[in-house]
Amino acid sequence: MKKFVIDAPKNQKLSEMVFQNIPQVSYHTLQKILRKKDVIVNRVRVAKDVQLQKGDFVEIYCPDREVKYFSVVYDDENVIVVNKAFGIIVAEKD
């Protein structure tokens, strides 16, 4: 389980704040996390995309398998270019 803790930098929707600060979490993953009430805002579990106030304390619990550690930048029949997190091992395909 991966835990993300963020202080809301400004007044905005929860989803906007998540996508700006945690790019590894997709829209689908965020919806699943909200349904399971794995988002806590100021010590209260939430199940929907709420409006945050500046300084709100947000905790997000995400299963490791749901976190994307890379994104595809370019792909064709000969090459693939990815933007990956530091520490992820890269191996050639035979």
Side-chain angles (χ1 to χ4, degrees):
M1 182 73 71
K2 184 88 171 154
K3 177 182 177 182
F4 300 97
V5 179
I6 303 167
D7 285 326
K10 60 183 178 180
N11 296 351
Q12 65 188 98
K13 296 279 265 180
L14 173 66
S15 59
E16 293 172 11
M17 191 270 310
V18 169
F19 299 138
Q20 288 174 359
N21 293 288
I22 314 170
Q24 306 98 313
V25 176
S26 68
Y27 177 80
H28 175 72
T29 300
L30 178 61
Q31 295 305 314
K32 188 185 294 186
I33 292 168
L34 285 170
R35 278 193 307 272
K36 292 173 60 179
K37 290 190 173 184
D38 282 342
V39 177
I40 300 172
V41 178
N42 296 327
R43 298 184 187 160
V44 177
R45 289 187 179 270
V46 296
K48 60 181 181 177
D49 193 7
V50 296
Q51 182 69 32
L52 299 174
Q53 301 300 316
K54 182 177 180 176
D56 281 352
F57 185 73
V58 181
E59 297 175 67
I60 300 171
Y61 295 89
C62 183
D64 286 333
R65 68 183 180 280
E66 296 290 339
V67 177
K68 291 178 160 181
Y69 292 99
F70 68 91
S71 61
V72 177
V73 177
Y74 176 79
D75 182 16
D76 69 19
E77 63 185 47
N78 297 316
V79 67
I80 184 169
V81 178
V82 297
N83 182 15
K84 69 172 190 67
F86 178 78
I88 294 181
I89 298 172
V90 178
E92 288 184 18
K93 182 179 177 183
D94 291 331

